[in-house]
Amino acid sequence: MEPINVKTGMTHEEAREFIRNHFEEFVNRKNVQIGNVNFAAGFVDHGADVPPGVLPGPAGAIQYVSGALKRFPDLHVQIEDMIAEDDRVVVRNHWTATDSQSGKRIEFRGIVIWRIAQRKILERWAYLEAPHEALRS
């Protein structure tokens, strides 16, 4: 049986599932209010993708994703790889969407590192490639 990490309050498997569910609810199901449940009050977003002026804490993450969902109403993230180590979960992902302003399909890939503390997301680091026109298959 996998031990519970004292920093996260979860096993590594539980941490991976927590982050997988977070992406599914927050982005794919457009349930941005799950951010009030999943993010710690002191959440810090170090993501290179976060525009200036975004509020700190969970409110900022909700503001940022809500704005993205307005511009890209069909935004979808697919997890390609996940690694859990210590108090972090690393995710390599593929994003697709339709730009509501141009009607063009876009895609981009990225890597996100999440730090979990006591069953909440405390920090995020994201490195995303620039969105580009999606290749049709």
Side-chain angles (χ1 to χ4, degrees):
M1 183 170 217
E2 187 181 357
I4 292 177
N5 180 308
V6 296
K7 294 178 185 177
T8 65
M10 304 175 186
T11 66
H12 285 137
E13 181 58 36
E14 289 170 332
R16 285 189 297 271
E17 194 58 30
F18 174 62
I19 294 300
R20 183 181 316 281
N21 288 336
H22 175 73
F23 270 122
E24 192 61 36
E25 282 296 317
F26 200 51
V27 178
N28 294 342
R29 291 191 182 120
K30 288 113 180 84
N31 177 11
V32 294
Q33 293 309 313
I34 198 71
N36 290 317
V37 175
N38 290 347
F39 292 116
F43 171 72
V44 178
D45 197 337
H46 306 282
D49 58 318
V50 179
V54 172
L55 298 170
I62 292 168
Q63 171 192 15
Y64 177 46
V65 172
S66 294
L69 289 169
K70 284 181 185 153
R71 173 95 186 254
F72 306 101
D74 63 346
L75 183 64
H76 182 83
V77 60
Q78 178 178 329
I79 294 173
E80 295 182 337
D81 289 306
M82 288 185 100
I83 301 166
E85 182 71 30
D86 193 32
D87 61 350
R88 289 173 173 77
V89 176
V90 180
V91 180
R92 185 174 66 89
N93 46 40
H94 179 230
W95 300 76
T96 56
T98 305
D99 185 327
S100 64
Q101 295 176 3
S102 69
K104 291 184 179 180
R105 293 282 301 154
I106 60 142
E107 67 179 342
F108 56 95
R109 288 180 165 74
I111 294 179
V112 182
I113 303 169
W114 303 94
R115 185 164 79 89
I116 301 170
Q118 300 310 309
R119 306 183 79 77
K120 297 280 187 178
I121 299 170
L122 188 59
E123 292 183 88
R124 171 189 176 265
W125 293 264
Y127 302 93
L128 308 173
E129 68 184 12
H132 53 274
E133 197 164 342
L135 301 174
R136 302 257 178 207
S137 50

